[in-house]
């Protein structure tokens, strides 16, 4: 097999303004396999695993971060304060015998000894494997892949999406089960980690595990917290299984933050912007992101577009960094600010970028990977419209402009993927939610949490009062899990996967329901519903329980 002789990019995770010897892409002069390269290392530095992300038809990003003592309070991972040369290798075979790309990247202390390598010049629509080495230490191997060529559909795409992994509330079993499904691509839609100190955000019966360190407010704290999550073997398995597309929500910084406004603006936080800068820097250091996402002060470019051949275009959104503050003090409200046409959840620039992407798209499926509930969810059966101010319901005009945008652009199939609300949902999307007889113009699939709020409970999906009040809502389940999709030219099949318990390790996953979205048939169609299991804990469902689950915080 021949490969194009094209350049590859070595990204060590450092801003271009830094000295040339430490700039992105700088190679270290030492041989990374030599004993001198490992000087100062007293143990395995690959304790945080490996990851890949943001694939295109020629390559992807490879990531690792060196940390001998990942939970060190200073956030430095027990690493000496010097750069380390890191050998990376890409293989064409799972046995790691045929090296097709290799190079040296610098893991520098200024960026938490993280390594970001942008590899290109590879064959389209192919599996690859990779690993890293420093001195005698060799990382675990990861599996990744390239996307199909832009002019090709390729085969069916197995894509999983997840959100909301609170380390203290349960084991990350769903990450392990996801890895065992061998997806081609994983989307993480936010709340990768949580900011609270131990015994602050608790579940009934007490938390299963404890966070290390104080509430995350400094670079050291965010680095330590990311490292604690990355030491989880189930999360490491999911990262090593496939390339990821990541976006944040709120807990990567502060619950329900909005642009430069913290969760509780009435409580003085004079250092909030410094906290934001620290959180963004640590997020980049710990994610398989391209150099375009290197943060600059309090700003970080995270919304971006990733194409999977002609099959799908993923529009990855950032609904936190540019939004207007939540109306009426946040929460579920009947709020006049929610319908103010001047307010936006994306900001004007990102909105224009998204609408332009719709107009230019020739994809079979235009998929929005984003954070908070898109469809209307009125929790009041009376004349008042009581909705979540933190979701798109709090920015009705913004939602309308974007929905109208894909309709006007003639987007073939619009699908919104969502996290945040700690439950599985499926919904039709409307231009006018007050007219239930109006046409559907898209579909929304919502993934429950990996662990947040603990085990949860099963119930009859149609028993949820939201479904009666909002007839475009078609499914609800309050167990933990993920969504596994199969994206083909003629349909998307979505399996809502659940695990019965996360407060004990090792639970098996099963499909609670399956929905199909057919080509040019907007909306969701249920094709499978597993009968209720009487051996599992069942629970009555109330609107109040859902509001409490989504809004209760310390």
């Amino acid at each position: 097999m021949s490969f194009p002789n094209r350049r590859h990019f070595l990204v060590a995770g450092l801003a271009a303004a830094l000295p040339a010897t430490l700039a992105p892409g700088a190679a270290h002069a030492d041989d990374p396999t030599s004993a001198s390269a490992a000087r100062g290392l007293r143990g395995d530095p690959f304790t945080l695993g490996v990851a890949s992300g943001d694939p295109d038809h020629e390559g992807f990003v490879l990531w690792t971060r060196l940390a001998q003592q990942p939970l060190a309070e200073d956030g430095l991972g027990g690493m000496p304060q010097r750069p380390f040369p890191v050998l990376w290798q890409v293989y064409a075979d799972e046995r790691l015998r045929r090296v097709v790309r290799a190079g040296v990247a610098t893991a520098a202390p200024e960026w938490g000894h993280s390594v970001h390598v942008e590899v290109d010049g590879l064959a389209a629509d192919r599996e690859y494997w990779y690993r890293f080495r420093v001195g005698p230490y060799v990382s675990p191997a990861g599996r990744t892949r390239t996307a199909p060529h832009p002019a090709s559909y390729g085969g069916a795409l197995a894509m999983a999406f997840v959100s909301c992994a609170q380390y203290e509330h349960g084991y990350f079993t769903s990450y392990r089960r996801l890895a065992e499904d061998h997806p081609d691509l994983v989307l993480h839609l936010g709340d990768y980690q949580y900011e609270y100190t131990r015994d602050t955000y608790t579940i009934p019966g007490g938390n299963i595990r404890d966070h290390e360190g104080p509430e995350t407010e400094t670079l050291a704290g965010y680095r330590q917290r990311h490292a604690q999550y990355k030491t989880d073997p189930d999360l490491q398995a999911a990262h090593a299984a496939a390339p990821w597309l990541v976006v944040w929500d709120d807990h990567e910084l502060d619950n329900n933050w909005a642009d430069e406004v913290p969760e509780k603006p009435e409580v003085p936080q004079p250092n909030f912007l410094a906290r934001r800068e620290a959180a963004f820097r640590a997020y980049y250091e710990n994610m398989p992101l391209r150099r375009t996402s290197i943060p600059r002060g309090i700003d970080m470019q995270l919304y971006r577009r990733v194409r999977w051949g002609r099959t799908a275009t993923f529009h990855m959104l950032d609904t936190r960094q540019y939004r207007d503050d939540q109306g009426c003090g946040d929460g579920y409200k009947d709020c006049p600010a929610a319908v103010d046409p001047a307010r936006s959840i994306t900001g004007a620039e990102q909105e224009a970028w998204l609408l332009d992407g719709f107009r230019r798209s020739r994809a079979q499926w235009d998929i929005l990977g984003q954070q908070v509930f898109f469809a209307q969810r009125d929790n009041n059966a009376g004349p008042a419209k009581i909705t979540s101010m933190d979701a798109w319901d709090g920015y009705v005009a913004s939602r309308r402009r974007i929905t109208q945008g894909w309709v006007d652009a003639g987007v073939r199939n619009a699908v919104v993927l969502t996290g945040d609300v700690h439950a599985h949902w499926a919904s039709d999307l409307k231009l006018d939610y007050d007219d239930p007889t109006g046409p559907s113009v898209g579909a929304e699939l919502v993934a429950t949490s990996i662990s947040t709020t603990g085990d949860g409970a099963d119930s009859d999906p149609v028993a949820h009062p939201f479904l009666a009040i909002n007839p475009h809502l078609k499914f609800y389940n309050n167990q933990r899990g993920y969504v596994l999709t199969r994206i083909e030219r003629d349909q998307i099949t979505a399996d809502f996967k659940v695990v019965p318990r996360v407060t004990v390790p090792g639970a098996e996953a099963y499909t609670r329901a399956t929905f199909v979205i057919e080509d040019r048939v907007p909306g969701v169609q249920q094709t499978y519903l597993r009968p209720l299991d009487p051996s599992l804990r069942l629970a009555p469902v109330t609107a109040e329980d859902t509001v409490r689950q989504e809004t209760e915080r310390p």
Side-chain angles (χ1 to χ4, degrees):
M1 179 178 296
S2 63
F3 294 88
N5 184 20
R6 297 190 50 160
R7 60 179 178 164
H8 57 256
F9 299 102
L10 313 182
V11 180
L14 302 175
L18 294 175
T21 55
L22 294 177
H28 198 281
D30 292 343
D31 175 0
T33 65
S34 68
S36 63
R39 178 173 49 85
L41 296 181
R42 299 177 300 280
D44 183 5
F46 295 110
T47 58
L48 306 182
V50 299
S52 67
D54 279 28
D56 61 23
H57 67 286
E58 294 183 293
F60 32 71
V61 179
L62 303 181
W63 172 92
T64 193
R65 179 180 161 212
L66 308 184
Q68 295 183 108
Q69 300 168 16
L71 301 188
E73 292 182 0
D74 60 7
L76 301 178
M79 294 294 295
Q81 285 297 293
R82 71 174 184 87
F84 285 81
V86 180
L87 173 68
W88 58 268
Q89 293 174 304
V90 176
Y91 302 84
D93 65 307
E94 190 173 4
R95 293 188 176 186
L96 310 181
R97 293 177 176 176
R98 295 178 53 212
V99 177
V100 294
R101 286 288 183 274
V104 179
T106 300
E110 292 86 345
W111 288 80
H113 288 101
S114 63
V115 174
H116 298 74
V117 179
E118 293 184 24
V119 185
D120 81 2
L122 297 173
D125 203 14
R126 280 287 311 275
E127 284 186 305
Y128 292 95
W129 289 261
Y130 63 94
R131 64 182 174 183
F132 301 87
R133 178 175 176 177
V134 177
Y137 302 105
V138 179
S139 77
R143 168 187 172 266
T144 189
R145 65 170 300 128
T146 52
H149 188 276
S152 169
Y153 284 98
L157 167 61
M159 182 274 293
F161 66 99
V162 297
S163 73
C164 301
Q166 219 288 21
Y167 182 89
E168 300 177 298
H169 288 183
Y171 295 98
F172 290 168
T173 310
S174 291
Y175 281 141
R176 175 71 61 174
R177 300 296 170 247
L178 181 157
E180 292 168 353
D181 285 329
H182 304 292
D184 300 311
L185 186 68
V186 177
L187 272 60
H188 199 294
L189 302 180
D191 295 345
Y192 184 92
Q193 58 132 77
Y194 282 70
E195 73 272 33
Y196 306 115
T197 190
R198 68 177 64 187
D199 297 325
T200 301
Y201 183 17
T202 58
I203 58 174
N207 288 345
I208 305 306
R209 308 188 281 189
D210 290 324
H211 280 154
E212 295 290 332
E215 177 157 334
T216 51
E217 296 181 317
T218 65
L219 181 58
Y222 284 110
R223 282 173 169 171
Q224 181 193 38
R225 186 62 50 80
H226 273 285
Q228 183 174 19
Y229 278 58
K230 280 290 202 307
T231 58
D232 185 277
D234 296 331
L235 175 55
Q236 288 193 14
H239 270 302
W244 284 37
L245 304 180
V246 300
V247 285
W248 56 38
D249 190 17
D250 51 343
H251 291 288
E252 289 86 354
L253 170 52
D254 178 39
N255 180 56
N256 283 19
W257 65 281
D259 195 5
E260 298 184 7
V261 181
E263 174 191 11
K264 300 175 180 177
E266 70 278 7
V267 178
Q269 291 194 47
N271 297 321
F272 182 72
L273 294 187
R275 180 182 185 182
R276 171 171 154 162
E277 181 175 354
F280 287 14
R281 188 182 184 97
Y283 186 82
Y284 173 77
E285 290 173 350
N286 286 279
M287 295 295 165
L289 289 164
R290 293 184 180 271
R291 66 175 71 192
T292 51
S293 292
I294 294 174
R296 288 170 171 77
I298 66 167
D299 299 316
M300 183 172 172
Q301 180 68 45
L302 198 57
Y303 68 84
R304 62 205 188 278
R305 197 168 283 121
V306 175
R307 295 177 174 85
W308 197 268
R310 294 186 62 186
T311 299
T313 295
F314 293 92
H315 309 267
M316 305 300 291
L317 305 187
D318 178 350
T319 64
R320 287 290 166 190
Q321 191 175 177
Y322 314 103
R323 69 160 63 187
D324 291 295
D325 193 18
Q326 292 88 335
C328 299
D330 211 347
Y332 271 74
K333 304 282 177 61
D334 186 359
C335 177
V339 297
D340 183 348
R343 300 179 72 252
S344 174
I345 195 172
T346 61
E349 184 176 327
Q350 183 178 193
E351 181 179 304
W353 166 86
L354 181 57
L355 296 179
D356 181 65
F358 292 152
R359 288 189 291 268
R360 294 173 180 270
S361 177
R362 299 296 180 268
Q364 197 84 355
W365 303 91
D366 279 270
I367 300 174
L368 279 63
Q370 58 93 50
Q371 296 75 25
V372 293
F373 217 102
F374 194 86
Q376 179 176 291
R377 288 187 308 155
D378 185 358
N379 81 345
N380 183 273
K385 185 176 290 184
I386 300 177
T387 58
S388 172
M389 295 301 99
D390 190 53
W392 289 81
D393 274 331
Y395 306 83
V396 171
S398 190
R399 176 174 63 198
R400 174 72 187 219
R401 289 191 298 268
I402 287 170
T403 308
Q404 189 69 58
W406 78 57
V407 171
D408 291 346
V411 164
R412 184 181 181 109
N413 297 292
V415 179
V416 177
L417 306 181
T418 301
D420 182 57
V421 292
H422 315 149
H424 282 319
W425 297 81
S427 174
D428 295 344
L429 297 178
K430 306 282 187 176
L431 276 171
D432 183 1
Y433 291 97
D434 294 330
D435 179 9
T437 65
S440 296
V441 296
E444 180 173 21
L445 305 172
V446 182
T448 187
S449 65
I450 291 290
S451 59
T452 307
T453 71
D455 288 333
D458 203 359
S459 62
D460 183 351
V462 300
H464 198 297
F466 278 23
L467 273 66
I469 300 169
N470 307 271
H472 54 277
L473 301 178
K474 304 300 183 182
F475 178 69
Y476 165 84
N477 173 267
N478 185 31
Q479 294 171 285
R480 309 287 73 82
Y482 57 101
V483 180
L484 180 64
T485 70
R486 180 179 175 87
I487 303 175
E488 302 171 275
R489 291 180 64 174
D490 60 343
Q491 67 180 29
I492 293 179
T493 304
D495 291 332
F496 287 87
K497 309 285 281 191
V498 300
V499 294
R501 299 188 67 188
V502 294
T503 51
V504 296
E508 294 300 320
Y510 62 87
T511 299
R512 184 65 179 85
T514 300
F515 281 80
V516 166
I517 306 167
E518 294 182 357
D519 179 35
R520 295 190 183 277
V521 183
V524 295
Q525 303 173 49
Q526 183 176 288
T527 60
Y528 169 76
L529 181 66
R530 180 185 172 110
L532 289 170
D533 186 343
S535 69
L536 298 179
R537 185 168 70 90
L538 303 179
V541 180
T542 68
E544 291 75 16
D545 288 339
T546 295
V547 171
R548 187 181 307 111
Q549 176 172 299
E550 294 177 12
T551 59
E552 267 195 353
R553 296 291 187 271

